[in-house]
Amino acid sequence: MSAPFKQQASLDVWMRRQYGLSAAKMMSAISRVDLVKERRGFGRLLRPAKGSILASPVIAAYDPDPDYFFHWLRDSAVIIDALRLLIESEEIARPEGLAHFSDFLGFSLTLCGLDGRSFLAGAGDYRAKVEPHFAQFLRPEADLLAISGDDILGEPRFDPDGSIDILKWSRPQHDGPALRVLAVARFCQSVGPGPDIFKQAEELIIRDLGFTFARWRAPSFDIWEEELGRHYYTQLVQCEALREGGLWLESRGAIESATAYLDASQEIAAGLDDFWSAPQGFVRSRIAAAGSGPQKELDIATVLAVIHAGREAGAHSVCDSRLIATLGRLEALFADAYTINTTQPGADAPAMGRYDGDRYYSGGAYFFSTLGAAEFHFKAAQAVAKGFLHDASEWARIGLDSKHDGHHLFEALLRCGDLFMTTVAAYTSENGDLSEQFDQTTGVQTSAKNLAWSHAAFISAYASREKALRSAKGVSP
């Protein structure tokens, strides 16, 4: 655990160093064809295919760390979006980044073609290789047989060798394809791949848009893979994917599909307001299906939704007073809930978790949650610099009111973001390792080691900070 920083200069040095370390560690999760994972008890020997992205490249088997040797659609989209940022900042060379992007597209398209019946036909009697104790964790064969057509895109994760996950899990999940649309589209717009890579990207976007359009009304599991229902995160990224996809198709003359997608996006946008609870004073993360269990409505997932959807201004962006209030409620929740936030010196910004009463592993703080709070402030600072956010009174909790001008608001937001980065620094290993969680009492890193999403979240937060500073100087980000 690192000591908190006392001076801005030392924080700046640490952030730049950690940016490079996180870049290297995140990249170590991509196309790890050199690794072999034996999933003991299930008779599985897994060699990742080129283009696959591991949630964590550290091999584990709930011993005690969780087995994250999977290619999640959600996580992989977040990592590809961070890969774009690394290319933009020249942290990695453009040819290397494009090669990884092309491999990812090819692997993703292969997954799109998977079919449950074909998988079972080729897998032989795989159940015979499963030890008796582990049979309880297998998916029913009928579940696998039912996977056909675009049903495959409702799968949250795959084995990294490109095969269907045979284990019981929370299915379906509908945010992954929408998030992938946004990541792939932004990559193409920013990096400008050649015609062959663009053709791959176009095919994947069309498939993901079709799935998103067909399924956006259907209930699915949330990003924590715990509750079936209607979720703010899923709906917001679906809304943005269909909007951006509709505009893209419109520019290419596909008017009928473009109109349908844009109409659906507007319908989703109208429904997003249902998540706001004025009596509670925050945007609820979910509207759960009947009988789905206890709801966890005040949830960092709402903040991550705004960051990943990427709206610069307006409703459901960092400029939305409802989301600003929600972040404030979350900060207050975790400031009181976690011992590390009440006993550790210099904890000027709280370590952030997921929701109240979380019981997964330490049930504590998450690096991507705390980094998400930092990034929200940095994006809000950029919105101020670009003239999208004017009302300082929405940020009264950081000592501002309506009498403060844009300069004071920008500086205050940047400072708050830096305080969250300081909190992250306090629990980051000297070698730059970022796990999934750090314990709410001891601060020790826990759960999956070197989570690729944690490193991607650092890259994204740091890049947002840099863009805010450039915007303030009148330099195009």
Side-chain angles (χ1 to χ4, degrees):
M1 190 189 309
S2 305
F5 293 98
K6 299 298 183 183
Q7 296 181 352
Q8 184 65 45
S10 59
L11 176 62
D12 290 344
V13 170
W14 177 83
M15 286 192 291
R16 187 61 193 85
R17 177 178 179 270
Q18 184 61 37
Y19 185 72
L21 291 171
S22 280
K25 292 175 185 293
M26 188 192 80
M27 296 300 292
S28 74
I30 302 176
S31 293
R32 288 305 304 270
V33 297
D34 58 310
L35 295 179
V36 178
K37 157 76 173 175
E38 182 182 4
R39 192 158 283 140
R40 294 179 181 177
F42 294 101
R44 301 280 288 165
L45 198 65
L46 300 169
R47 295 178 174 85
K50 185 182 289 188
S52 63
I53 298 177
L54 297 169
S56 169
V58 179
I59 295 175
Y62 295 95
D63 53 359
D65 301 334
D67 179 0
Y68 280 11
F69 205 79
F70 292 93
H71 175 98
W72 261 274
L73 293 194
R74 178 188 313 109
D75 293 46
S76 65
V78 171
I79 277 75
I80 286 298
D81 205 43
L83 174 64
R84 167 183 62 86
L85 297 172
L86 293 177
I87 297 171
E88 288 177 355
S89 68
E90 300 182 348
E91 185 67 30
I92 67 170
R94 186 173 184 275
E96 178 188 355
L98 282 174
H100 282 304
F101 182 57
S102 179
D103 291 340
F104 166 76
L105 294 173
F107 181 76
S108 299
L109 287 168
T110 299
L111 298 181
C112 291
L114 294 179
D115 175 271
R117 290 183 180 276
S118 298
F119 169 77
L120 288 172
D125 189 11
Y126 70 93
R127 290 177 176 268
K129 302 176 183 178
V130 178
E131 295 176 11
H133 170 73
F134 290 89
Q136 62 184 308
F137 303 113
L138 290 176
R139 300 174 72 170
E141 194 164 293
D143 187 20
L144 292 167
L145 287 170
I147 302 173
S148 64
D150 69 353
D151 292 336
I152 196 68
L153 293 177
E155 292 285 305
R157 66 183 194 181
F158 297 83
D159 280 331
D161 62 356
S163 57
I164 294 175
D165 177 20
I166 63 172
L167 305 182
K168 290 179 181 177
W169 207 251
S170 299
R171 301 177 177 91
Q173 293 176 34
H174 292 164
D175 59 294
L179 199 59
R180 193 162 62 183
V181 167
L182 295 172
V184 171
R186 289 168 185 159
F187 196 106
C188 290
Q189 183 179 16
S190 170
V191 181
D196 291 341
I197 297 178
F198 185 82
K199 185 177 180 181
Q200 287 180 296
E202 182 179 53
E203 182 180 351
L204 184 59
I205 287 173
I206 288 172
R207 285 176 178 267
D208 285 343
L209 281 173
F211 175 86
T212 301
F213 177 70
R215 307 300 176 92
W216 72 263
R217 289 188 177 88
S220 64
F221 279 88
D222 62 311
I223 67 169
W224 310 137
E225 306 179 323
E226 294 173 344
E227 289 187 7
L228 183 68
R230 182 178 164 210
H231 306 285
Y232 181 82
Y233 181 97
T234 303
Q235 295 266 266
L236 182 53
V237 296
Q238 287 174 330
C239 179
E240 279 304 286
L242 290 169
R243 186 188 67 82
E244 290 196 17
L247 293 173
W248 172 69
L249 287 171
E250 188 176 64
S251 71
R252 299 175 66 84
I255 303 302
E256 185 175 348
S257 294
T259 300
Y261 292 166
L262 291 171
D263 287 348
S265 178
Q266 291 179 356
E267 190 173 345
I268 298 171
L272 286 170
D273 291 335
D274 295 343
F275 290 89
W276 168 246
S277 172
Q280 293 172 293
F282 61 82
V283 174
R284 297 174 295 162
S285 67
R286 63 204 69 205
I287 300 174
S292 65
Q295 295 188 45
K296 300 176 278 285
E297 294 180 330
L298 181 58
D299 188 331
I300 198 69
T302 54
V303 172
L304 298 179
V306 171
I307 291 168
H308 293 162
R311 291 186 174 187
E312 282 194 311
H316 309 290
S317 75
V318 295
C319 300
D320 189 329
S321 61
R322 298 169 299 181
L323 273 304
I324 295 170
T326 302
L327 179 56
R329 289 290 303 276
L330 285 161
E331 290 176 27
L333 167 66
F334 296 118
D336 291 338
Y338 293 167
T339 301
I340 54 175
N341 288 331
T342 58
T343 62
Q344 294 295 331
D348 296 311
M352 304 284 280
R354 298 192 299 178
Y355 50 78
D356 188 27
D358 192 357
R359 296 291 180 266
Y360 184 66
Y361 275 77
S362 74
Y366 280 69
F367 278 107
F368 58 63
S369 296
T370 310
L371 288 161
E375 185 168 355
F376 192 100
H377 286 89
F378 294 145
K379 287 186 179 296
Q382 184 180 8
V384 172
K386 298 177 78 170
F388 298 145
L389 179 59
H390 306 281
D391 190 354
S393 64
E394 301 293 351
W395 294 93
R397 70 177 184 279
I398 61 176
L400 293 172
D401 58 36
S402 58
K403 292 180 287 187
H404 286 89
D405 60 20
H407 173 75
H408 286 96
L409 179 55
F410 176 88
E411 292 294 333
L413 290 168
L414 195 72
R415 183 170 60 253
C416 282
D418 281 352
L419 290 174
F420 279 103
M421 296 296 266
T422 301
T423 298
V424 169
Y427 300 101
T428 300
S429 301
E430 181 62 30
N431 65 358
D433 285 356
L434 297 174
S435 63
E436 185 173 41
Q437 295 182 40
F438 48 106
D439 189 273
Q440 61 176 287
T441 301
T442 66
V444 172
Q445 293 196 20
T446 184
S447 191
K449 291 183 173 66
N450 268 325
L451 188 76
W453 186 352
S454 294
H455 290 293
F458 185 90
I459 292 164
S460 183
Y462 182 79
S464 293
R465 184 181 190 275
E466 292 294 293
K467 289 179 179 179
L469 290 170
R470 290 198 296 273
S471 294
K473 294 175 182 177
V475 179
S476 173

